[in-house]
Amino acid sequence: MTTTTYSVNGMTCGHCSAAVTEELGKLPGVQEVTIDLNAGGTSAVHVTSEAALDDAAVREAVDEAGYELAGA
C-alpha cells in the first residue's frame, strides 16, 4: 500500500470533495481517498492505493470531476 498526496484547486464544498473522491475511487487499485478541504484554495487529496498511480490517470480523474491538479 502507498499513500500519495495531491494538491487540487477549485473545490469549495462537500459536493466537490465527493465528486473528486468518486472519480479517483474508480482508478484501479485505489483503496481510500480522503480530502483536507480548503474551500476556494488548494485542497490536499490523500489517495491510498495498492501501488503508485499513473500521474496522467490521476490528472484525468480530477479533470473529469471538474477540478484541476495544482501545477497543471
Side-chain angles (χ1 to χ4, degrees), residues 17-31:
S17 296
V20 171
T21 298
E22 179 182 352
E23 290 301 326
L24 289 172
K26 293 178 184 177
L27 296 177
V30 170
Q31 301 295 311

Side-chain angles (χ1 to χ4, degrees), residues 2-53:
T2 183
T3 300
T4 307
T5 300
Y6 301 94
S7 297
V8 177
N9 294 325
M11 293 189 293
T12 59
C13 65
H15 181 267
C16 300
S17 296
V20 171
T21 298
E22 179 182 352
E23 290 301 326
L24 289 172
K26 293 178 184 177
L27 296 177
V30 170
Q31 301 295 311
E32 180 179 34
V33 178
T34 58
I35 298 176
D36 297 328
L37 182 64
N38 178 14
T42 301
S43 299
V45 178
H46 311 284
V47 181
T48 302
S49 56
E50 294 172 358
L53 298 173

